[in-house]
Amino acid sequence: MSEYKSTGIIRKEDLEIPSDERLEEGPVVIMECVENIPCDPCVAACSFDAVEMEEITDTPDVEYETCTGCGFCVTECPGLAIFVVDCSYSDENCKITIPYEYIPVPDEGDEVKALDREGNEVQKAVVTNVRQSGKTYAVTIEVDKENVWKVRGFEVEK
Amino acid sequence: MSERRIFEHPILDFDRGYEFYFDFEGKKIKAYEGETIASALYADGLRKFTESKKLERPRGFFCAIGKCSSCLMSVDGRPNIRTCVTLAEEGMEVERHGPKAEFPQTDVGRGGERKKEEIEIAVIGGGPAGLMASIVAARNGSEVHLFDEGDDLGGQLVKQTHQFFGSHQEDAGTRGIDIGKELLEEARDVGVEIHNGSKVLGYYPEKKITIESDGRLEIYDSQGIVYAGGAVENYLSFENNDLPGVYGAGGVQTLMNEEGIVPGEKVLMIGSGNVGLIVGYQLLQAGVNVVEIIEALPEIGGYQVHASKIRRAGVPIRASHTIKKAIGDEKVEGAVVQKIDENWNPVKGTEREVECDVICLAVGLSPDTGFLRQADCEMDYVPELGGFVPLRTEDMMTTQRGIYVAGDAAGIEEATVAALEGKIAGAAIYEELHEETEDTRRSKEEAKEGLDKMRKGPYGEVPKQGVKTCTVDEEVCG
């Protein structure tokens, strides 16, 4: 039994991730979707045909060399399980794009609490971009590079 | 919490009508146009709506869809009114009468002469299955009457604020609330006659149904029936489980997503299937604190992506845990939870008090099949589909020729499956009464392919096995 089955928390080891070289090259998608569930909107969401799926219950197969990290799929995933990381941003910092469906919606430049996969605060982070698609937002925040695999959520301080 | 109405929500816009007041036991209660009496009272803070007959235990808001009888009150002198499905009106006089109402002094009837009509197809239930069946049969030329007891059609879709899973072709990525609206519009466009506020009372041979609508009895003599009556929520045994504040997940969704009223401040969620995880997430979106989700099994029941989403928000999910009792006299003021071992026995010394004012039960659903039993459809107990379900052909016909079934009444799955089954039933009933057309042939083919796709993978394997055991050849049908 994988640990996430009893905890709901994905670990880096559970994921298929891009190579270190690809991560350094620029923004790329990280799909934290590891079960064989019947769902495929991410395939249609990609304008670059970087996501493949033979059966609807397959997990998404991402061609990382084709993925531009545009992040369009982030707001299209019903499971809110798609993130974009950009490790090429600077030497110390990286950017993470996170799907968001709560209120209030932050503005660019706001400081938010960056959270890990259990909702614990990891660090403070600055919002660098906010994109809306329907009622779902893709919010990009800037965090320390060492936290790139830790941070997967954020909280707007009220 | 002073204001229980939701005014700002990340997904929903609550379009409240004008504000007015009605009288409740001498107190002025604020309500908005379109709100039910029970919702307005709940928003005002009332928790005890009536009491039980024998032990006089408090009874409060529970199902929110007119099924549980926990909200019966007297309205303008008429007793036993289901306040959760009765709209509040300005100047109304509402009072509690407990379990033993007196014979009314006023004229109770609102009906008139009974109505009797011959129709071609009766579809019962206006959720995704019933809507889709109606659309397919009507667009091929059938005269279709769709009956639903609610004011708004769409079934449980009207509460689903999340984007749907499934195939992109079958509306995945679209929110349930929007799918319901689209289907309803399509049904109107193809000429389906919609009877909302129409409760089906019973079945009589040969394919006659009786309906109660606004106090009037209606009798419809049909040539064919598609039954898509959905499901009922399961309950759980624990001490004090009848206290106001113990709610089904569906009731919570109705109150929160339809009526725009939060159920409380701190919610303990029981059950980590997709319903528990999704309603937990919707509570967070409405600004309610979900203190924890407990699950009796050693594994989380629902999809990992739903579980991860709610964990990211800081909500713990505790597997191998159960609820021992609810705390409180007149309403829920807390709960005691404990660990259980692999044999479902409580582990000593693990009891823990949880602070909460709502206990939300998301412990599964059972097919609502009373109508089909009344129509003598052969049933079978299929645990993979949630309980007793009708035997059916691949075309969704029950063992009674001309009576079809679709959606959760045929077995507990989800909305996309319900719509696909409805598509098959709608096409098949048209074929039975008329002939095969290019559209009915294609609809059945596409929907069957869709069902095969949806029932793949580890989560699809369970209903797939279940469906196999209750699918029969057409020769079995009467």
Side-chain angles (χ1 to χ4, degrees):
Chain A
M1 178 171 104
S2 314
E3 200 179 275
Y4 65 80
K5 279 304 293 174
S6 61
T7 63
I9 299 165
I10 290 285
R11 294 169 306 180
K12 192 179 168 190
E13 304 90 270
D14 297 318
L15 301 170
E16 262 182 53
I17 55 172
S19 65
D20 288 346
E21 295 76 48
R22 176 64 188 84
L23 284 166
E24 287 301 328
E25 256 172 43
V28 66
V29 79
I30 307 293
M31 296 199 174
E32 306 209 347
C33 173
V34 299
E35 289 181 327
N36 297 99
I37 57 174
C39 188
D40 69 3
C42 56
V43 178
C46 184
S47 323
F48 304 97
D49 294 329
V51 190
E52 276 186 27
M53 209 180 266
E54 233 169 80
E55 297 276 356
I56 189 170
T57 44
D58 289 344
T59 52
D61 185 9
V62 183
E63 186 58 66
Y64 293 116
E65 298 313 312
T66 314
C67 170
T68 65
C70 73
F72 187 69
C73 53
V74 172
T75 47
E76 304 308 301
C77 169
L80 305 194
I82 305 180
F83 305 85
V84 173
V85 299
D86 182 3
C87 294
S88 70
Y89 180 55
S90 79
D91 284 343
E92 297 81 33
N93 294 336
C94 64
K95 290 200 285 191
I96 305 179
T97 303
I98 296 167
Y100 184 77
E101 289 182 335
Y102 296 106
I103 45 175
V105 177
D107 291 321
E108 271 180 45
D110 283 359
E111 192 182 76
V112 295
K113 278 197 240 174
L115 310 174
D116 66 11
R117 293 185 179 84
E118 291 177 66
N120 301 313
E121 182 175 346
V122 178
Q123 64 167 98
K124 298 275 188 246
V126 173
V127 174
T128 62
N129 189 49
V130 178
R131 181 177 69 80
Q132 181 180 10
S133 170
K135 302 271 183 177
T136 309
Y137 290 83
V139 176
T140 306
I141 59 173
E142 188 184 324
V143 299
D144 300 344
K145 231 173 192 177
E146 58 177 26
N147 291 331
V148 64
W149 296 107
K150 256 193 201 156
V151 170
R152 284 299 177 270
F154 67 88
E155 188 186 339
V156 180
E157 291 181 79
K158 287 173 194 171
Chain B
M1 196 180 287
S2 52
E3 183 52 80
R4 292 176 180 82
R5 286 186 179 84
I6 305 166
F7 288 96
E8 265 188 288
H9 191 281
I11 311 294
L12 298 166
D13 297 313
F14 294 104
D15 235 348
R16 291 192 171 84
Y18 74 95
E19 187 184 311
F20 61 90
Y21 288 82
F22 66 89
D23 182 275
F24 173 71
E25 299 176 357
K27 186 183 173 190
K28 292 279 164 225
I29 304 289
K30 183 169 81 176
Y32 290 91
E33 188 187 4
E35 251 174 28
T36 64
I37 297 169
S39 295
L41 290 171
Y42 196 91
D44 191 67
L46 187 74
R47 290 295 171 271
K48 184 179 164 183
F49 284 13
T50 182
E51 54 190 34
S52 69
K53 222 172 205 165
K54 249 185 176 169
L55 300 175
E56 297 173 355
R57 304 262 302 169
R59 290 283 177 272
F61 181 91
F62 183 73
C63 78
I65 49 173
K67 298 204 181 210
C68 76
S69 300
S70 284
C71 67
L72 302 184
M73 294 186 203
S74 150
V75 177
D76 290 336
R78 285 179 293 131
N80 294 321
I81 298 297
R82 296 177 299 167
T83 57
C84 75
V85 289
T86 306
L87 295 184
E89 286 170 23
E90 189 155 14
M92 249 179 181
E93 285 181 22
V94 179
E95 58 182 3
R96 292 176 287 191
H97 52 45
K100 295 163 193 163
E102 276 179 29
F103 193 79
Q105 300 302 309
T106 49
D107 184 13
V108 286
R110 291 218 283 189
E113 263 185 50
R114 68 175 54 170
K115 177 181 170 189
K116 202 171 172 186
E117 203 179 313
E118 280 182 21
I119 60 173
E120 189 188 329
I121 296 173
V123 177
I124 299 168
L131 279 167
M132 193 58 109
S134 302
I135 290 167
V136 176
R139 78 174 173 219
N140 278 282
S142 272
E143 175 213 337
V144 180
H145 293 255
L146 172 58
F147 301 93
D148 193 283
E149 64 180 322
D151 280 325
D152 300 319
L153 266 69
Q156 305 313 300
L157 287 173
V158 297
K159 313 173 189 175
Q160 311 305 333
T161 54
H162 60 286
Q163 295 184 22
F164 267 50
F165 284 66
S167 156
H168 182 68
Q169 293 168 334
E170 307 284 351
D171 280 336
T174 311
R175 294 182 196 279
I177 38 176
D178 299 325
I179 299 175
K181 281 179 204 150
E182 282 166 25
L183 287 176
L184 183 57
E185 205 167 298
E186 201 180 336
R188 287 209 174 99
D189 285 349
V190 296
V192 174
E193 181 145 344
I194 290 161
H195 303 253
N196 55 347
S198 298
K199 191 178 178 67
V200 175
L201 299 174
Y203 172 87
Y204 297 89
E206 210 17 73
K207 301 189 186 64
K208 281 190 187 63
I209 57 171
T210 51
I211 303 275
E212 185 266 323
S213 178
D214 203 18
R216 182 167 76 160
L217 182 70
E218 301 177 352
I219 303 164
Y220 292 92
D221 199 347
S222 77
Q223 293 169 39
I225 295 172
V226 178
Y227 179 77
V232 287
E233 288 191 83
N234 293 341
Y235 212 65
L236 195 65
S237 293
F238 56 91
E239 196 181 325
N240 273 340
N241 68 352
D242 63 340
L243 276 184
V246 180
Y247 304 137
V252 165
Q253 277 191 315
T254 302
L255 187 66
M256 176 171 69
N257 296 342
E258 278 193 76
E259 301 280 319
I261 294 165
V262 294
E265 289 180 58
K266 291 178 179 168
V267 177
L268 169 66
M269 180 68 71
I270 316 290
S272 72
N274 279 331
V275 173
L277 297 175
I278 289 171
V279 176
Y281 180 62
Q282 292 174 352
L283 282 159
L284 295 173
Q285 288 182 303
V288 179
N289 181 4
V290 179
V291 288
E292 60 186 275
I293 299 179
I294 61 169
E295 166 62 51
L297 291 168
E299 289 190 359
I300 292 168
Y303 294 168
Q304 162 262 322
V305 287
H306 286 314
S308 295
K309 182 165 74 182
I310 204 157
R311 290 299 322 255
R312 287 204 294 276
V315 179
I317 305 176
R318 301 191 209 281
S320 302
H321 273 68
T322 192
I323 178 166
K324 192 183 176 197
K325 66 172 180 184
I327 302 170
D329 293 324
E330 289 284 297
K331 58 181 192 213
V332 170
E333 283 160 16
V336 176
V337 299
Q338 62 185 354
K339 262 191 191 166
I340 49 175
D341 64 21
E342 60 272 23
N343 301 315
W344 299 75
N345 293 317
V347 180
K348 267 193 190 143
T350 60
E351 289 174 25
R352 185 166 50 84
E353 213 174 297
V354 176
E355 207 183 303
C356 60
D357 59 351
V358 171
I359 296 169
C360 183
L361 301 179
V363 291
L365 299 158
S366 299
D368 192 350
T369 55
F371 180 88
L372 295 172
R373 289 164 199 249
Q374 211 187 13
D376 274 340
C377 299
E378 253 183 80
M379 310 292 290
D380 192 13
Y381 186 76
V382 184
E384 294 91 339
L385 295 176
F388 278 97
V389 294
L391 300 181
R392 85 294 303 265
T393 66
E394 281 196 347
D395 275 0
M396 302 310 295
M397 184 161 78
T398 66
T399 53
Q400 292 292 330
R401 186 166 296 279
I403 301 180
Y404 292 74
V405 66
D408 276 356
I412 306 300
E413 293 186 72
E414 47 76 74
T416 309
V417 169
L420 290 167
E421 287 180 345
K423 204 170 180 179
I424 296 172
I429 196 167
Y430 180 85
E431 287 179 354
E432 189 193 321
L433 297 174
H434 302 276
E435 72 217 320
E436 187 187 271
T437 67
E438 174 60 27
D439 180 68
T440 60
R441 195 189 54 72
R442 200 166 27 90
S443 295
K444 277 165 54 177
E445 199 179 284
E446 282 171 7
K448 284 176 188 176
E449 271 172 34
L451 285 177
D452 284 343
K453 279 189 190 170
M454 293 299 292
R455 290 175 181 146
K456 277 196 176 128
Y459 288 96
E461 197 54 39
V462 176
K464 185 178 172 182
Q465 289 307 319
V467 168
K468 214 182 252 176
T469 63
C470 58
T471 302
V472 294
D473 286 336
E474 209 189 311
E475 290 90 78
V476 182
C477 305

